[in-house]
Amino acid sequence: MRVQKTDNTNFGMAIICKPNENVLTNYMFKKFNASQYRKVTESILVQRNNPIDIYVSVINKNGKDKIEAEVGPKTFKENWVTTGAKVITKAIKYADKLNAEQIKMNENLKGFKAPKLDM
């Protein structure tokens, strides 16, 4: 198990901003329309109950700010097809899927006991 010290700002419990929340909030104000902003902020509030972390960062690529979201082993990136709002929405859906799989796995393992070794 690896333990790392982070000073990242946290949107609730599951969405963590790198380097901080202000960078993402400013990006959302500039790039999102009102309905996209409302939808994303509502989704962020719902994610407070999800134990799967989503790491969102605003990166500067070729002189343009773009959103990148990491969820477990998968990375979602903004490009000419996928908007920043869609990146966050896809990351949230994937985190929900991972959480559902984890809950199902825990249900299947409930009551399972490892065999004892006789020595």
Side-chain angles (χ1 to χ4, degrees):
M1 185 169 128
R2 253 180 34 195
V3 179
Q4 284 181 284
K5 181 185 178 216
T6 61
D7 57 344
N8 298 330
T9 304
N10 201 337
F11 259 134
M13 295 300 286
I15 297 185
I16 301 169
C17 297
K18 296 191 289 187
N20 63 34
E21 181 181 347
N22 293 335
V23 174
L24 180 61
T25 304
N26 290 338
Y27 177 87
M28 288 170 54
F29 275 128
K30 283 190 246 177
K31 300 283 183 165
F32 293 3
N33 63 34
S35 67
Q36 287 175 325
Y37 186 81
R38 185 176 22 83
K39 186 176 179 181
V40 168
T41 53
E42 287 172 1
S43 299
I44 287 171
L45 291 175
V46 170
Q47 287 302 302
R48 288 183 178 180
N49 300 324
N50 191 341
I52 305 296
D53 289 336
I54 301 171
Y55 296 94
V56 178
S57 56
V58 178
I59 57 171
N60 191 315
K61 191 170 188 175
N62 297 332
K64 294 183 179 181
D65 287 339
K66 298 186 181 246
I67 288 183
E68 186 173 281
E70 297 174 30
V71 184
K74 206 164 187 177
T75 302
F76 300 91
K77 296 180 181 182
E78 181 179 357
N79 54 36
W80 63 278
V81 176
T82 308
T83 64
K86 194 167 235 179
V87 167
I88 293 173
T89 303
K90 283 183 175 185
I92 288 171
K93 285 182 182 179
Y94 187 70
D96 289 341
K97 178 184 169 190
L98 288 179
N99 187 34
E101 289 174 359
Q102 185 67 38
I103 290 171
K104 187 175 180 181
M105 188 183 306
N106 289 343
E107 287 291 321
N108 290 339
L109 293 176
K110 191 175 183 181
F112 176 77
K113 293 184 181 179
K116 293 182 180 179
L117 298 175
D118 293 328
M119 293 191 178

